[in-house]
Amino acid sequence: MKKRNVILLAATIGLMLTACGDSKESTGNISDSTTVPTDTAENETTKKFKESQESQESQESQEPENLPESQEYVSSDGAFKVILLEGLTQTDMPLPAGGSMMGLDGGTARKGFSSIAIRCAKSNVPGNSGSIESLEDFADYITDMALNGTGVTVDWEDTEAPSLDGAEHCLAWEGVAKSGTGRGQAYGFFAEMADYYVMVVIVGNNDDVEEARQIIALDMSDETSKQAGTKDFINGMTAILDSVNGASVLQTFKALEDSGATESQLEAITSQAQLSLSESWDVESADDLIETADWLMTEGHNQGALDSLKEFNPGEETQRDAFDTKLKEQGLDDGTYISLLAAYDAWSDYGDGAIAAWDLSRVGTVMGFGYASGYCTYEEAMDKILEAAQKAQELYDSWEDFNKSYLYGYSYWSEESLDDSQSSAGERAELVSSMEAQANGPFAIDWNIELKKEW
């Protein structure tokens, strides 16, 4: 699963970084078939050298009004903005847990030029690498992912990094970008803030990258825009699994379609989505998809957990210690014991809604894969997820309750203890805690917001 989701996100990023084209002009080249007197050639060379020197001196002393025309590009969530060359085409992509990604493309005016900017929480780096402990790790990881599948390779070298307000650490890279026989330049800037990383990478021909480096700047907002819509609520419901997977398949596929991705580019995600649904859910058609989503909302693993408790007849008066003792007397294997204890804890806290959050959260994932597979439209997927969101509001009073029920469900399903920090259940509990602590994270939205169709 992890490999498949990294491929998904890498494909998304790759669509934003086009191959670096040849330079706009080939200066100072003389055809091999041209014969020029020696003294003339020397004079021409001297003239070109002088012109080059004068141009360089002019650039070094130029006033701000002589800089390339620039434009401010703001991320879709308002969390940051990038100042770059004027007239680029912006494409925004969602990232898990409140992160955002912006692609900027030069189009026909600046063929081969593209840029990608990312802001993400340290605990939720795209692709779920799990091994990032420093800004250097982040830079290595994210550039590899960004260039994967684009046909562009870069030989990076350290260069002097500009400062960024509020950053604890900054670094910058530059290098020669290669794509087939084409050559160009690449530049990357990376910064570590208290709770998140930010980066911007540009690739293109020499002239465009040189111009971009004269004006490139990042500006971080003090606060991200407040989440206040049904889509944001839905994103919160799937935020945990989206973070583990590295991206929301639903939102990623929709953004790719809206940005004009080709059929072949979408097919890579479609085939993986179909495979995932088939292997994990036995979903092979549109009917199977809706049947599975409805099962998650009406029965799901929640019903299985409640049924498993009946055998031990816990009763409302039974204390946890007594139930724990009863389980241990059965000689159960460790996995079954953990699963039943999680079911008991969930039932004690939420009654018939014991681990329903675990099921309801996955309605969004299943329908997202169904949409990417071609089994339903975007509207049909969102309509069904809205039903799940409305049921979640009926069963729970807060994000804290929803997430707690979700974690009980994960423990029940995985047969792993949430208290075991070395288990996937323990890691997921830590992830939830980290996301809940984010001031503008996926759970910042009011739980009691009115949910309505807005697509």
Side-chain angles (χ1 to χ4, degrees), residues 362-382:
R362 292 181 298 158
V363 172
T365 301
V366 168
M367 293 305 298
F369 274 87
Y371 163 55
S373 296
Y375 298 151
C376 67
T377 65
Y378 175 76
E379 183 176 12
E380 289 169 339
M382 293 297 290

Side-chain angles (χ1 to χ4, degrees), residues 234 238 250 296 359-369 381 385 388:
I234 287 173
T238 62
L250 176 71
L296 285 169
D359 295 320
L360 295 174
S361 70
R362 292 181 298 158
V363 172
T365 301
V366 168
M367 293 305 298
F369 274 87
I385 300 170

Side-chain angles (χ1 to χ4, degrees), residues 15-22 24 71 73 84-91 103-115 203-205 208 259:
L15 292 175
M16 296 180 175
L17 284 172
T18 58
C20 53
D22 296 329
K24 286 184 177 179
Q71 183 174 334
Y73 301 90
L84 257 182
L85 300 169
E86 185 179 46
L88 304 178
T89 299
Q90 178 175 345
T91 303
L104 299 169
D105 184 79
T108 57
R110 295 183 182 272
K111 186 177 180 181
F113 179 90
S114 64
S115 173
V203 176
N205 64 55
D208 287 340
S259 66

